């Protein structure tokens, strides 16, 4: 079965009425907005198995995969590292690049966009294993397999854990043995990841239900923007739409002081936001500030932003049900 990824706009991205995205999408050099796919690039997403995958685990692995590869660059050759998964996660990713693909070399940008398209297809259809074949001018340049962890496609598993040494974070990763074991979070507070020293998030939830798939695809798009703009390059702001166009994510510098920040700070914030949202199991309007400081020094707010719904959801999605079961 082949699943076509929705293309609501000729550019490949939905318009956001509250953000000036159409003009920004007219060129590939606009910073802070979704980069356009390279000319000739397309994907075909095919279901490979009827076995169900946990939607939340798919999203956790998705942001993990994008976060790790964002640091490697954008227009650089992709080097496969085997089967990628995450601690206490039953979902895995494997990227196969053919030994011969003409004169074209598979690049990070192709893999990130292809992977995103595969997760979007799952969120719009069924959370089942898929193969995402990537093409450049109708020439196959590689295939991404998103599947159960037990399916290795003939390759040994190699768990990738950038910047972390945590291999036993089942409850922290939002996957407790008893889904009801986490109490309802407060409407506001501070989120701290003990494995990312010197980083914390001040958050405030507000009424306004947002489908979880919209929140997570907006975060994924944000990570793609950071990868395109460069994790080592100066960061000012980003505006990321969800795949449906029903949700918007904004991140910008906090305060008025002229501070120099790198894109890596924004990608770390996005990675932490995913874990926080999964742990708290809330899918609503969110305002946040990202605090950072050297160990032992006072933390200060360096980034702030919001996740907001642009259209009220018509009902609860399958992934919402899984998250709140």
């Amino acid at each position: 079965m082949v699943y076509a990824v929705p293309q609501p706009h000729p550019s490949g991205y939905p318009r956001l009425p509250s953000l000036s995205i159409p003009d920004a999408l007219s060129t590939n050099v606009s910073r802070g907005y979704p980069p356009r796919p390279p000319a000739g690039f397309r994907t075909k997403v095919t279901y490979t198995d009827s076995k169900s995958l946990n939607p939340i685990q798919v999203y956790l692995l998705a942001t993990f995969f994008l976060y790790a590869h964002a640091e490697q660059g954008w227009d650089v050759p992709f080097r496969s590292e085997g089967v990628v998964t995450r601690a206490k996660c039953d979902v895995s990713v494997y990227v196969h690049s053919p030994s011969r693909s003409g004169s074209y070399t598979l690049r990070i940008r192709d893999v990130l966009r292809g992977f995103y398209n595969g997760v979007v297809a799952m969120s719009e259809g069924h959370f089942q294993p898929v193969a995402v074949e990537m093409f450049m001018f109708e020439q196959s340049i590689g295939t991404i397999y998103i599947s159960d962890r037990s399916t290795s496609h003939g390759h040994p598993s190699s768990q990738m854990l950038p910047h972390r040494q945590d291999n036993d974070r089942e409850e922290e990763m939002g996957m407790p043995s008893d889904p009801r074991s986490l109490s309802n979070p407060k409407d506001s507070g501070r989120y701290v990841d003990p494995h990312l020293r010197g980083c914390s998030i001040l958050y405030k939830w507000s009424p306004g239900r947002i489908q979880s798939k919209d929140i997570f695809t907006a975060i994924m798009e944000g990570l793609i923007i950071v990868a395109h703009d460069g994790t080592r390059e100066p960061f000012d702001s980003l505006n990321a739409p969800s795949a449906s166009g029903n949700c918007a994510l904004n991140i910008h510098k906090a305060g008025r002081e002229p501070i120099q920040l790198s894109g890596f700070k924004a990608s770390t914030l996005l990675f932490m936001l995913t874990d926080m949202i999964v742990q708290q199991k809330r899918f609503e309007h969110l305002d946040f500030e990202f605090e950072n400081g050297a160990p032992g020094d006072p933390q200060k707010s360096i980034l702030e932003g919001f996740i907001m719904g642009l259209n009220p959801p018509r009902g609860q999605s399958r992934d919402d049900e899984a998250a709140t079961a």
Side-chain angles (χ1 to χ4, degrees):
M1 178 180 179
V2 176
Y3 191 90
V5 177
Q7 298 293 330
H9 184 262
S11 67
Y13 303 96
R15 293 180 184 271
L16 287 183
S18 63
L19 302 174
S20 301
I21 282 185
D23 290 341
L25 288 175
S26 64
T27 173
N28 243 348
V29 299
S30 296
R31 299 181 60 82
Y33 291 91
R36 297 184 64 177
F41 179 80
R42 73 174 182 90
T43 58
K44 181 177 72 174
V45 182
T46 307
Y47 286 108
T48 60
D49 198 324
S50 60
K51 183 176 182 178
S52 296
L53 300 177
N54 183 300
I56 295 301
Q57 290 193 16
V58 170
Y59 290 130
L60 282 167
L61 182 60
T63 54
F64 180 61
F65 184 86
L66 295 172
Y67 170 72
H69 286 89
E71 298 179 56
Q72 299 178 21
W74 180 252
D75 194 23
V76 297
F78 176 82
R79 306 299 181 190
S80 176
E81 58 280 289
V83 178
V84 176
T85 187
R86 190 173 180 176
K88 304 296 183 179
C89 182
D90 294 327
V91 184
S92 66
V93 181
Y94 174 69
V95 182
H96 171 70
S97 179
S99 55
R100 289 188 176 183
S101 56
S103 59
Y104 188 83
T105 300
L106 184 66
R107 299 181 178 278
I108 292 288
R109 67 184 187 189
D110 307 321
V111 173
L112 298 191
R113 181 53 66 188
F115 179 74
Y116 172 89
N117 286 354
V119 175
V120 168
M122 296 168 76
S123 71
E124 297 294 340
H126 304 282
F127 279 92
Q128 297 171 345
V130 297
V132 185
E133 190 171 7
M134 298 169 285
F135 298 87
M136 183 61 71
F137 295 107
E138 301 308 313
Q139 173 186 316
S140 180
I141 58 175
T143 304
I144 304 169
Y145 297 94
I146 307 173
S147 61
D148 182 84
R149 188 173 183 173
S150 62
T151 305
S152 62
H153 302 283
H155 296 269
S157 176
S158 60
Q159 193 172 70
M160 179 175 57
L161 293 169
H163 308 298
R164 293 171 179 249
Q165 301 299 323
D166 50 321
N167 294 311
D168 189 16
R169 300 184 63 203
E170 183 173 7
E171 185 165 321
E172 288 186 37
M173 297 322 304
M175 295 175 281
S177 55
D178 179 4
R180 297 173 179 79
S181 64
L182 297 179
S183 60
N184 291 329
K186 298 179 179 179
D187 289 337
S188 61
R190 173 181 276 106
Y191 171 78
V192 178
D193 186 330
H195 301 274
L196 290 175
R197 298 178 61 188
C199 300
S200 61
I201 297 175
L202 296 176
Y203 64 87
K204 180 180 179 182
W205 297 100
S206 302
R209 179 74 175 175
I210 304 174
Q211 289 198 13
S212 59
K213 65 180 180 181
D214 288 329
I215 290 178
F216 291 126
T217 56
I219 290 175
M220 290 169 60
E221 187 70 81
L223 285 165
I224 289 179
I225 292 172
V226 174
H228 171 263
D229 292 352
T231 57
R232 295 177 178 83
E233 297 298 318
F235 175 84
D236 290 310
S237 65
L238 69 78
N239 294 294
S242 64
S244 67
N246 292 334
C247 174
L249 162 71
N250 171 270
I251 299 176
H252 55 273
K253 288 182 179 180
R256 298 182 179 181
E257 297 181 10
I259 57 176
Q260 188 80 357
L261 300 176
S262 68
F264 179 71
K265 298 292 186 183
S267 66
T268 300
L269 166 59
L270 290 165
F271 185 68
M272 289 181 64
L273 275 174
T274 302
D275 285 359
M276 185 192 83
I277 291 168
V278 168
Q279 287 182 40
Q280 299 194 6
K281 299 186 178 184
R282 291 185 68 163
F283 305 99
E284 301 172 297
H285 181 101
L286 175 65
D287 294 289
F288 54 82
E289 294 183 27
F290 182 55
E291 295 185 323
N292 185 235
D297 293 339
Q299 293 187 2
K300 65 177 182 179
S301 180
I302 60 173
L303 294 171
E304 59 187 13
F306 58 82
I307 298 175
M308 65 177 292
L310 301 179
N311 296 298
R314 297 181 179 179
Q316 192 176 52
S317 66
R318 285 186 295 276
D319 46 317
D320 288 331
E321 294 170 359
T324 56

